Amino acid sequence: MGSTILYGSIAYVFYRILKNKWAKVGIVFFSIILFLMVGVSRIYLGVHFASDVIGGITAGGSWLLFSIFLFNVLEWRKKYNRLVLKG
């Protein structure tokens, strides 16, 4: 769950910053590979069952999507308030 949130957040930030399309695709692909490798390593080392890893990825992905949505809403409100105050 933690690696999904961490690498997903890093991917989102770089996705927003980078201008090059292929750099964006690369960072998203690299982040997906990283959190999948963490999950596979947890199963391989016997620390977690596959269902635990799938649940963690699902929960982490849900939290990440909620956080991204909330960030976009707050960013939109900030831009909207700026336009309303000027106009």
Side-chain angles (χ1 to χ4, degrees):
M1 183 174 170
S3 65
T4 302
I5 295 169
L6 174 69
Y7 297 131
S9 299
I10 291 171
Y12 179 72
V13 168
F14 278 109
Y15 188 84
R16 299 271 307 209
I17 292 172
L18 297 173
K19 302 294 182 202
N20 185 350
K21 176 185 174 185
W22 291 108
K24 289 181 177 187
V25 169
I27 195 71
V28 169
F29 179 74
F30 186 68
S31 295
I32 291 170
I33 294 297
L34 274 175
F35 80 76
L36 287 177
M37 286 176 57
V38 168
V40 169
S41 73
R42 304 301 285 176
I43 296 168
Y44 177 76
L45 294 172
V47 179
H48 293 292
F49 294 113
S51 60
D52 299 338
V53 172
I54 292 170
I57 290 172
T58 303
S62 299
W63 182 257
L64 180 64
L65 288 176
F66 174 73
S67 299
I68 289 171
F69 172 76
L70 188 62
F71 175 78
N72 286 328
V73 167
L74 293 174
E75 188 174 72
W76 177 82
R77 283 185 61 193
K78 186 170 76 171
K79 287 180 184 179
Y80 178 75
N81 286 338
R82 202 175 310 143
L83 288 174
V84 169
L85 293 176
K86 285 184 180 181

